[in-house]
């Protein structure tokens, strides 16, 4: 059983910073891509958007609105991914979900999701 647990969300004023963490545990052989998604208030799960992603080799991808403000990183030894969020804006308010493509014993490969952490940015 593989689990992803996010932490670091909270309430912050516009212009402030937060750092999200997501620790992966369980029967893990290796982890391919890891990413952060967000679901804004009132949006459905299908409207969850990719914020940032990072490959096992360190290649990164960012959604346009967060470029220059957010930084994704990972510690492969700890199976943990981070999202440093600076210059936060009210429109960044959302539940942030961690995602990981995990190679395990069974199933051999699967996408896993955390339960989410709420980020609220006040104006």
């Amino acid at each position: 059983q593989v689990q992803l647990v996010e932490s670091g969300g909270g309430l912050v004023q516009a212009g402030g910073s937060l750092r999200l963490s997501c620790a992966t545990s369980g029967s893990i052989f290796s982890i391919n891509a890891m990413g952060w998604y967000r679901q804004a208030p009132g949006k459905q799960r299908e409207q969850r958007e990719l914020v940032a992603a990072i490959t096992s080799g360190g290649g990164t991808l960012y959604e346009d609105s967060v470029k220059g403000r957010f930084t994704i990183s990972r510690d492969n030894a700890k199976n943990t991914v981070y999202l440093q969020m600076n210059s936060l804006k009210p429109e960044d308010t959302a539940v942030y979900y961690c995602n990981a493509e995990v190679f395990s014993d069974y199933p051999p490969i699967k996408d896993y999701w955390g339960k989410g952490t709420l980020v609220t940015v006040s104006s």
Side-chain angles (χ1 to χ4, degrees):
Q1 188 78 9
V2 174
Q3 291 185 325
L4 277 64
V5 178
E6 301 102 334
S7 61
L11 173 64
V12 64
Q13 288 188 330
S17 299
L18 283 174
R19 188 188 193 218
L20 306 183
S21 299
C22 173
T24 306
S25 63
S27 179
I28 300 169
F29 292 164
S30 64
I31 301 175
N32 191 15
M34 304 183 81
W36 290 94
Y37 290 71
R38 64 187 178 188
Q39 185 172 339
K43 299 289 188 180
Q44 299 298 314
R45 179 188 175 100
E46 295 73 23
Q47 297 170 293
R48 196 177 289 182
E49 65 171 358
L50 175 66
V51 176
I54 184 168
T55 68
S56 56
T60 58
L61 172 71
Y62 294 94
E63 194 269 329
D64 285 345
S65 70
V66 308
K67 287 180 180 177
R69 300 189 297 124
F70 291 10
T71 302
I72 189 170
S73 61
R74 64 190 282 173
D75 184 332
N76 291 329
K78 296 181 179 180
N79 291 329
T80 299
V81 63
Y82 306 95
L83 186 67
Q84 178 66 44
M85 305 185 293
N86 298 329
S87 302
L88 282 161
K89 304 175 181 179
E91 50 264 43
D92 294 318
T93 295
V95 178
Y96 284 71
Y97 295 89
C98 175
N99 171 271
E101 184 181 44
V102 178
F103 294 90
S104 183
D105 49 1
Y106 188 84
I109 180 171
K110 180 180 176 181
D111 261 356
Y112 290 89
W113 291 88
K115 294 184 178 180
T117 185
L118 177 62
V119 172
T120 304
V121 184
S122 63
S123 57

